[in-house]
Amino acid sequence: MIEERLAQKALDPQALVVVKRSAANSVSVAGEAIGGKRVPLSPGGDRLLQVIAAVGGTKAPVHDTFVQLSRDGVTASVPLATLVADPGQDIFAEPGDVLTLVKRPQTYSVFGATGKNRAITFTSDRLSLTEALAKGGGLLDARADPRAVFLFRYEPVGLVQALGQPIATDAHDGLSPIVYRLDLMEAKSYLLARRFPVHDKDVIFVANAQTVPIYNFFNALSTLTGPITSALSTCSYFHAC
C-alpha cells in the first residue's frame, strides 16, 4: 500500500516496514517466580521457552517451576522441566496468551520402617525410587520388611486399566489411586527401583517385619533383666536357640 501511494511521487519506490512493538501481538508473562512483563511476539512466532527467556528466565529452580498457560478461557499447567526435556511440549505462543510461572516445590512422603518419616522435597526434576528411599534414611535393618515396600499414587485411568487393576468408584479428573509393591529381597527389584520414577505427592511406606513386636518386647524387658534378655533377643533374631 505504501509503495502504491509513493508510485506517483517516486520512481519504482520500495518500502520496508518493521513492527518494533505491538500490544495486540504480545504475550503477558507474570508469576511469583519471575518479573511480570508483556512480550511482543516476533513475526515468525515464538515458543513458550523463548517467551520465558525474553523476560530473563525463571528465578526459581527448574524442577520447582510450573508453567501455567491461559488461552481462550482455558488454563493448563505443565512443569517447566517437561518443556525443557520434551521439545514437542514447547508449543508456540499466541497473541493474547497469559503465561504464569508458579514456584511449586515438589515433595513426596516417607512413612514406616525407614530412617526418616517426613515429607521430602525434590532436589532435581528426576528422582528414582532408590534415591527416594535413600533420602528417607533407607530401610531400618531391625524393623523393616524388605518384601513390603509400597508406593501410593494417583495414575491416569487408562494406565490403571492397562495394568489390569480396577478403577476406583470415586475416581476424579481421570485419575484413580493405585499401589505399587516392591520386594527388595529379590536382586532384580533393585534394578527396577533405579528405573522407577517418583512423582510429586507420592507416598512411600515400608512395612514392619512380622517379628518386630517380639524385638520390642525384649528391648523393653532388657531395662529390667539386663544381658540375659538381650541374649535371648539375639537368639530369637537368628533363630539359633
Side-chain angles (χ1 to χ4, degrees):
M1 184 181 297
I2 295 174
E3 291 175 351
E4 289 177 356
R5 294 186 178 184
L6 290 177
Q8 300 176 357
K9 302 179 180 180
L11 181 63
D12 191 20
Q14 295 182 356
L16 175 64
V17 177
V18 178
V19 179
K20 301 184 66 175
R21 183 177 294 273
S22 172
N25 189 40
S26 63
V27 175
S28 299
V29 184
E32 59 188 45
I34 201 168
K37 191 175 182 181
R38 176 173 286 179
V39 179
L41 299 175
S42 60
D46 295 303
R47 296 184 181 273
L48 298 183
L49 287 180
Q50 292 174 312
V51 173
I52 295 172
V55 295
T58 177
K59 300 175 183 178
V62 173
H63 60 271
D64 284 346
T65 305
F66 282 74
V67 180
Q68 183 174 289
L69 175 63
S70 298
R71 176 185 297 174
D72 298 330
V74 179
T75 300
S77 180
V78 65
L80 179 58
T82 300
L83 297 184
V84 175
D86 185 2
Q89 299 288 333
D90 188 19
I91 62 175
F92 280 98
E94 294 184 1
D97 282 354
V98 177
L99 208 60
T100 306
L101 300 187
V102 181
K103 181 180 179 182
R104 189 189 306 162
Q106 301 185 74
T107 62
Y108 67 95
S109 302
V110 181
F111 298 101
T114 60
K116 302 174 183 177
N117 279 214
R118 66 180 185 181
I120 300 176
T121 303
F122 281 61
T123 55
S124 62
D125 60 317
R126 294 179 182 274
L127 187 70
S128 68
L129 182 54
T130 53
E131 293 170 328
L133 286 171
K135 289 179 179 293
L139 277 63
L140 297 178
D141 293 339
R143 287 183 49 195
D145 184 355
R147 297 166 298 180
V149 178
F150 301 93
L151 186 142
F152 302 78
R153 76 161 55 132
Y154 283 86
E155 294 281 22
V157 169
L159 176 58
V160 177
Q161 291 175 333
L163 293 173
Q165 300 301 315
I167 305 301
T169 55
D170 59 345
H172 299 289
D173 302 324
L175 299 175
S176 182
I178 193 169
V179 181
Y180 296 97
R181 178 178 177 270
L182 199 66
D183 183 358
L184 293 182
M185 290 295 288
E186 298 183 5
K188 62 182 180 181
S189 295
Y190 288 88
L191 299 178
L192 175 63
R194 288 184 58 187
R195 295 184 288 117
F196 194 95
V198 175
H199 297 168
D200 184 31
K201 301 302 180 290
D202 277 356
V203 176
I204 299 173
F205 174 75
V206 179
N208 289 335
Q210 295 180 355
T211 50
V212 164
I214 300 175
Y215 304 154
N216 292 341
F217 171 75
F218 281 120
N219 287 335
L221 211 60
S222 65
T223 58
L224 300 176
T225 58
I228 297 177
T229 305
S230 297
L232 271 173
S233 179
T234 302
C235 289
S236 175
Y237 183 84
F238 289 103
H239 303 285
C241 294

